Amino acid sequence: MSEHPPARLTLGPLMHHWPAERRRDFYFRIADEAPVDSVCLGEVVCSKREPFFAEQMPAVIDRLRAAGKEVVISTLSLITTERELAAIGELAASGLPVEANDVTAIRVLAGRPFIAGPLINLFNEATLDFLVRAGAVRVNMPVELSLPSIGVLAAHNPTGQTEMAVFGRQGLALSMRCYHARAYGLHKDSCQYVCERDPDGLPADQLDGRGLLAVNGTQTLSHGYLVALAELDALRRLGVSHFRLAPQAGVTAEGLDMVRVAALYRQVLDGAADPAAAEAALLAMLGPVAPINGFLHGREGMAWVPAGTMH
Amino acid sequence: MRPIRYLELVCPAGTPAALRTAVDAGADTVYCGFRDATNARNYPGLNFDVDDLRAGIAYAHQHGRRVLVAVNTFPRAGETAIWHRAVDNAAACGADAVILADLGVLDYAAREHPTLRRHLSVQAAAANPLAIDFYRAQFGISRVVLPRVLAVAEVAALVARIGVEAEVFAFGSLGTMVEGRCYLSSYITGRSPSSDGVCAPAEHVAYREQDGKLFACLGDTVMNCFGPGEARSYPTPCKGRLVTNGEPSYLFEEPVGLNASAILPQLKDAGVTALKIEGRQRGRAYVGQVVAAFRAILDALADGRPPPPEAAQLHALTEGGQETLSAYRSGWR
């Protein structure tokens, strides 16, 4: 694959609310052991969670950088309060690379380089042109895009840095209302941080018991995990340079080892593992949670198109 | 144009007949869209072709009213020309403004049609002063349609800090998710509000009877279940019943409709310019009744009279006969 730029693995921002020590230890291990090139920190979902991890953040950044990882701070995806606006201003002033998940951050950065996050609505070439003029140096594709759409955008992207999610629960919706609090009979303003009880999200199933969604505070995620090992080669050929893994706690008793997940993706990208064998190994690690990849194949997102049936 | 009384009343028109009905019933402004994926109500049998729009604008202008054209979805990669043509056609037909959400479409409209007013669609979900200022500085928007996530006090604080007009939703169906970034429908059906302009399209809806209950489905996905005699609601993903911790509930929102008619003075005090009635997918009779009721309420407020009898009739027109102030009410979150 010498005609392609080197494939980079990114660990996307942690969507869930994990206790600060667990979060710190997770990132220390990522720094020490995971074959990822870039790590996104920062709270994307709920600003009420931010203070808990603030104390650990400098040590985590140092450890990741010492390990040679690029550290990126992802911004909140919905910004409404004065405190949240002030935090964006502080982040812009910090000099850390910023992944903007809302145009507010682009406005505050005022022409300085940024990464367009997956929650920026980037669906077409004209929007890509605008974002690059505004300072985007790397762009994430929204979760909904199919392989052909990703191909059009990656081919059009003058920065050569196009990123696509390839693993984990997919962010499907945002709200001002906290459904986690609501599911526990509470309100957002007095939420008691009940989202911490569900480190991989709170399953929201269909009435007949089949899985559908997972609630994560004000965010709604897919119940299934995106698994796109078999699509990595196609994505590279289309011009995707960065491949994003979402940190997940897993649904099995032993939990999910993200270092092993990253290693599987790395091996397939390096041509060191067969995609089908890697996929089988990954599905075995996931346990009962369903794999999904429908969006990539132009279908409903919750669909699973097995490798053997792809055209 | 006819002078605005109290607040500008912006009304939906899914068809040319609904446009005339809305004008006749007292709308100050009517909004509509073309018959394709360029607008967020791309449903069969709805919307306007270029000739329809030209005639509709002529009718509205004869009566001193305005017409806004929604081109408020996000163009698919490789298909931006369709969206650009929609903006060109709106301008050529004499639209008073276009309602836009996509950064690329906004950029195009600002460059190619600088004298055509640009309103920022709710699909852009600009919910703070800096985001709105970004769109004003970059694309010269004249008005923002505020996302349905803010309490009245927050609307007031926001409007005081933005240099553009604010339009807010006053009545109709509403989702609970931030608009423009909701993938629930495409996750379940493959059809997207963002780029197809449809949410939970009717061709995916199926009702199945089992054990004396009626299951409301989107494709193969169960969104709700109704017992005998229970009122049925449409299986919109954010208004379905889901099971968390073993308990079925309306996890996101009950099947209710927004009715802010009781808080119009507070919205005016908050600095709001215009009220938006949702419902381009609704029939002409519904549009006529809702618009007439709001016209009567606004005229009464302008004259300092008590609420007219029409105010009470709105309740029966809300979705499922149940109404909410939604995010306007503190505690909704």
Side-chain angles (χ1 to χ4, degrees), chain A residues 63-136:
Chain A
R63 182 87 156 240
L64 288 164
R65 285 195 166 158
K69 318 280 190 211
E70 176 192 46
V71 174
V72 173
I73 309 296
S74 298
T75 72
L76 271 181
S77 40
L78 178 63
I79 295 162
T80 60
T81 70
E82 289 300 324
R83 194 164 53 80
E84 291 162 357
L85 285 169
I88 289 284
E90 287 168 26
L91 175 57
S94 73
L96 289 163
V98 175
E99 174 169 280
N101 280 309
D102 179 286
V103 300
T104 310
I106 303 175
R107 161 70 173 72
V108 173
L109 286 164
R112 275 175 283 164
F114 68 94
I115 298 168
L119 287 157
I120 296 281
N121 274 352
L122 167 51
F123 286 92
N124 57 74
E125 308 91 302
T127 295
L128 176 57
D129 289 339
F130 174 82
L131 289 172
V132 170
R133 283 205 306 277

Side-chain angles (χ1 to χ4, degrees), chain B residues 144-162:
Chain B
V144 58
V145 184
L146 293 180
R148 288 170 272 194
V149 300
L150 301 171
V152 174
E154 292 170 329
V155 172
L158 184 57
V159 173
R161 293 178 54 187
I162 57 176

Side-chain angles (χ1 to χ4, degrees), chain A residues 238-311:
Chain A
L238 291 170
V240 173
S241 58
H242 289 64
F243 299 85
R244 173 171 294 220
L245 314 172
Q248 300 291 165
V251 301
T252 59
E254 65 269 30
L256 184 67
D257 184 353
M258 286 302 300
V259 171
R260 281 186 63 200
V261 172
L264 282 171
Y265 277 84
R266 185 74 262 169
Q267 286 161 14
V268 173
L269 286 170
D270 290 347
D274 170 57
E279 184 183 291
L282 181 57
L283 296 188
M285 287 164 63
L286 296 185
V289 71
I292 59 173
N293 61 3
F295 283 135
L296 285 172
H297 297 283
R299 299 208 18 210
E300 67 275 18
M302 65 190 289
W304 170 239
V305 181
T309 64
M310 291 174 195
H311 43 273

Side-chain angles (χ1 to χ4, degrees), chain A residues 77 79 82 101 104 107 121 123 125 127 133 144 172 174-177 179 182 187 205-206 210 212 302, chain B residues 74 78 102 104 107 128 133 149 161 176 178 180-181 183 186-187 192 220 222 243 250-252 331-332:
Chain A
S77 40
I79 295 162
E82 289 300 324
N101 280 309
T104 310
R107 161 70 173 72
N121 274 352
F123 286 92
E125 308 91 302
T127 295
R133 283 205 306 277
E144 196 179 61
L172 300 174
L174 304 161
S175 178
M176 280 295 276
R177 183 177 243 186
Y179 305 122
R182 187 167 152 91
H187 291 276
D205 298 333
Q206 300 174 51
R210 289 179 294 159
L212 182 65
M302 65 190 289
Chain B
F74 299 88
D102 180 67
D107 190 42
N128 70 62
D133 190 62
V149 300
R161 293 178 54 187
T176 55
V178 174
R181 293 193 282 178
Y183 304 118
S186 53
Y187 172 71
S192 155
D220 187 41
V222 177
V243 180
Y250 286 106
L251 177 61
F252 303 123
W332 175 80

Side-chain angles (χ1 to χ4, degrees), chain B residues 5-235:
Chain B
R5 303 203 72 205
Y6 205 74
L7 289 166
E8 181 182 336
L9 182 58
V10 182
C11 302
T15 61
L19 182 149
R20 292 189 297 273
T21 299
V23 167
D24 296 346
D28 296 304
T29 302
V30 179
Y31 66 101
C32 55
F34 289 112
R35 196 173 291 141
D36 57 28
T38 62
N39 80 92
R41 292 289 184 282
N42 177 25
Y43 296 111
L46 284 192
N47 294 322
F48 290 61
D49 64 22
V50 173
D51 289 338
D52 293 336
L53 182 64
R54 196 176 289 112
I57 290 173
Y59 185 83
H61 285 178
Q62 279 162 20
H63 292 79
R65 322 301 171 85
R66 300 173 179 82
V67 174
L68 317 179
V69 178
V71 186
N72 60 344
T73 48
F74 299 88
R76 286 179 288 254
E79 298 181 23
T80 50
I82 300 170
W83 275 257
H84 293 174
R85 192 163 65 236
V87 174
D88 296 342
N89 286 335
C93 290
D96 296 283
V98 280
I99 308 170
L100 311 175
D102 180 67
L103 292 167
V105 176
L106 280 157
D107 190 42
Y108 175 84
R111 278 188 288 109
E112 299 295 323
H113 301 282
T115 60
L116 176 63
R117 263 175 72 100
R118 293 169 293 284
H119 293 185
L120 188 66
S121 169
V122 71
Q123 298 292 320
N128 70 62
L130 290 182
I132 294 165
D133 190 62
F134 171 84
Y135 288 102
R136 184 198 57 74
Q138 295 289 339
F139 310 119
I141 61 163
S142 303
R143 177 180 295 187
V144 58
V145 184
L146 293 180
R148 288 170 272 194
V149 300
L150 301 171
V152 174
E154 292 170 329
V155 172
L158 184 57
V159 173
R161 293 178 54 187
I162 57 176
V164 299
E165 300 167 359
E167 180 174 311
V168 299
F169 280 88
F171 195 86
S173 178
L174 79 172
T176 55
M177 304 306 184
V178 174
E179 292 88 350
R181 293 193 282 178
C182 178
Y183 304 118
L184 289 177
S185 175
S186 53
Y187 172 71
I188 295 170
T189 73
R191 302 287 311 284
S192 155
S194 301
S195 286
D196 298 316
V198 295
C199 177
E203 65 268 27
H204 288 262
V205 174
Y207 293 94
R208 290 202 302 266
E209 282 199 54
Q210 193 182 324
D211 305 330
K213 292 177 180 167
L214 186 74
F215 287 84
C217 303
L218 276 177
D220 187 41
T221 301
V222 177
M223 294 310 315
N224 213 333
C225 172
F226 308 102
E230 197 178 354
R232 298 170 187 182
S233 57
Y234 192 85

